[in-house]
Amino acid sequence: QADISQDEKVKPGSYPGVVCCCRKKCLLLNDVILIIATLHTGLSRTAKSFEMILVGRFLEGIGAGRTSHYSLSV
């Protein structure tokens, strides 16, 4: 495991690297993924494209899977 200072508390099941440096950036990236997914799903009717719904749902699944790992360690 990575070296962690005594000030930072690592909760069970969390990754020390995420606690140290990357939590905020990962959550912001996840927000961008979810915004893109929402736009794909919402604009699919305007574009009359069923494939946009599939892409949007796929990206929503990725965003939902990433969110749970980081929110549990807060």
Side-chain angles (χ1 to χ4, degrees):
Q1 291 191 7
D3 294 330
I4 300 172
S5 66
Q6 296 296 331
D7 296 336
E8 298 183 41
K9 296 179 183 178
V10 178
K11 296 192 178 190
S14 64
Y15 297 102
V18 173
V19 172
C20 290
C21 63
C22 300
R23 185 183 304 162
K24 186 174 182 179
K25 291 178 185 176
C26 289
L27 287 173
L28 288 174
L29 175 66
N30 192 41
D31 289 342
V32 170
I33 291 172
L34 289 174
I35 288 170
I36 292 171
T38 303
L39 289 174
H40 269 83
T41 306
L43 296 175
S44 64
R45 180 174 283 178
T46 304
K48 297 180 182 172
S49 173
F50 180 71
E51 292 81 8
M52 287 180 72
I53 295 174
L54 296 178
V55 171
R57 293 292 295 188
F58 179 74
L59 290 173
E60 287 173 5
I62 290 174
R66 290 176 49 92
T67 302
S68 63
H69 299 294
Y70 300 114
S71 63
L72 290 176
S73 64
V74 173

